[in-house]
Amino acid sequence: MKKRNGFFSFSIVTVALLALSLSLTAASLAWKHFQMARTYEETVRLTYLAESALHEGWDQLCRHPDDFLQGRPIPVPQAEGLAFQGEQLSARCRYQPAGAVAGGFLKAQAAVPDSAVQQTCGLRFEVRADEQGRPVLHRCQYVN
């Protein structure tokens, strides 16, 4: 009867455990990379939505500045039509009539509350009165 060597069995089990550990590590890293790619895709999408809402909000603010300079939310229905279910869009104007130059800030925000990812962008502007005393927006500057 042959005497069996336990070292050979131990080596095979050790190599199998190392291969299993390596495959689990690779799967974990692949999952993390996939999650990062999904977060990046969501961030890019929310940036696009925020800038779309900012553009639409700016158009509405230029057309009807008296309505929105008081801080009322600016409706952005076209940009909201681009959003998926669960994504939130908002555009809001903050105006300060006092100071050396009257000015304000238009901020647009896109967010997904479930993942806590949000993107904002904004425009700084100055407000001057025209000949009839209506506010006119000047010197627009993009702020990201």
Side-chain angles (χ1 to χ4, degrees):
M1 191 186 273
K2 277 183 158 180
K3 191 174 186 184
R4 298 201 178 244
N5 190 351
F7 180 74
F8 185 70
S9 299
F10 174 75
S11 298
I12 289 176
V13 169
T14 303
V15 168
L17 288 176
L18 285 174
L20 178 65
S21 174
L22 182 63
S23 65
L24 289 175
T25 302
S28 173
L29 289 174
W31 178 252
K32 298 272 188 207
H33 184 72
F34 177 70
Q35 291 293 90
M36 283 182 12
R38 284 183 49 199
T39 302
Y40 178 74
E41 176 192 10
E42 200 169 58
T43 302
V44 169
R45 177 168 175 70
L46 291 179
T47 300
Y48 174 76
L49 287 174
E51 289 182 354
S52 296
L54 184 69
H55 184 268
E56 187 176 354
W58 178 253
D59 286 344
Q60 290 193 30
L61 183 63
C62 287
R63 276 191 236 125
H64 310 288
D66 290 328
D67 295 341
F68 303 114
L69 288 178
Q70 285 81 25
R72 210 175 86 221
I74 301 172
V76 286
Q78 290 179 341
E80 286 174 352
L82 299 172
F84 289 147
Q85 185 176 3
E87 294 176 336
Q88 298 175 347
L89 284 175
S90 66
R92 189 170 216 93
C93 178
R94 296 181 63 195
Y95 173 62
Q96 185 168 352
V101 177
F105 188 78
L106 176 63
K107 176 183 170 185
Q109 179 178 7
V112 178
D114 296 340
S115 65
V117 177
Q118 70 177 10
Q119 288 296 104
T120 60
C121 56
L123 294 173
R124 292 186 201 275
F125 58 89
E126 292 179 5
V127 179
R128 298 190 184 141
D130 64 0
E131 295 81 27
Q132 289 83 24
R134 294 181 307 214
V136 179
L137 308 177
H138 288 282
R139 295 183 49 129
C140 173
Q141 178 185 9
Y142 179 78
V143 179
N144 191 0

